[in-house]
Amino acid sequence: MLKLFKLLGNKRLFVILIGIVMFITLMGFTIGSRTSLSWPEKFVRDTVGFVQNIFYKPAGYIAGLFEDIGNMKGIYEENEELKIALAQYTREKARFNFMEAENKRLQIALDFTIAQSEKNNYEFHIAQVVSVNTDPNNRSLVIDIGQRDGVKVDMTVTSVEGLVGVVSKVSNFTSTVKLITTMDVKDPNTNAIAATALNKQDKTFGIIESYDQKTGTLLMTGIKEDDPLKEEDTIVSSGSGGLYPQGMVIGTVESVQIGEMGSLRTATIIPAADFVDWKQLFVVFTPEVQE
């Protein structure tokens, strides 16, 4: 038994010696200066490279996948922020456009009232249009000022462009305006307008008491044969009769015709006011009715 242990011990020593010799030999191959690798080095390098390639590609793919997911999340969050910014910009732009249009309307209204006050001793109270009645037999509209604001029946209502009508009904907070497009010579209650031509007040005179629905024009009658009225003259209220104050712009002469009796003429007038899409109008306060 003792001999057997000695034999095994000698074998272990022999194996260790062989291993040391091979290690020294391998070191000798690798330490020296040379241009090519030994076959053990090639084997080890190829093996290591193969194993690294097996593990590196899946690891790189997984790392790239997580990186792409992170990028997609960042892009999504950025898109959401851009959507919010765009919606806010759209709201602000719409608000700005509305304010700009409102400011322009108010500036026009201010310029109009200043210009009118310089011509006549009138006050123009601005009013918002609440509703419009498009019934052909009862064309009217409702404005948002009434008796508490000093509005009375028969007060004149105008737009920046021209005459619109007269107040026909008044309540505490609103007023109904009867449009000049309801004028009918056959109606005994029609509000006829005594009219003249701008810069020809001492030479021109006529009565406007009807509106033609088909042509959208007013008819001015009772014009004398020697009246200098001609096409494109601006027609304004003369102030006679007391209903419409002097100087309210009515429209422009489209044509002048010989009257039925030959001695008097008639004129077709294109209204200055555009009877659609109203937002703001003015009630005219004259010194006689102002409180």
Side-chain angles (χ1 to χ4, degrees), residues 92 153 185 232:
E92 291 298 325
V153 173
V185 67
E232 297 186 1

Side-chain angles (χ1 to χ4, degrees), residues 54-65:
I54 291 175
F55 287 99
Y56 175 76
K57 282 188 176 180
Y61 174 77
I62 294 172
L65 178 62

Side-chain angles (χ1 to χ4, degrees), residues 144-204:
D144 67 346
I145 60 175
Q147 190 173 5
R148 67 168 186 171
D149 304 292
V151 179
K152 296 181 179 180
V153 173
D154 289 339
M155 280 187 169
T156 300
V157 178
T158 184
S159 67
V160 172
E161 291 79 18
L163 186 64
V164 171
V166 294
V167 175
S168 59
K169 297 178 183 178
V170 180
S171 64
N172 285 333
F173 302 102
T174 62
S175 301
T176 301
V177 180
K178 185 178 181 180
L179 306 180
I180 61 173
T181 55
T182 61
M183 298 176 66
D184 187 350
V185 67
K186 298 177 182 179
D187 182 2
N189 297 319
T190 188
N191 296 318
I193 307 171
T196 184
L198 190 65
N199 300 322
K200 297 179 181 178
Q201 289 90 333
D202 298 332
K203 301 176 181 179
T204 295

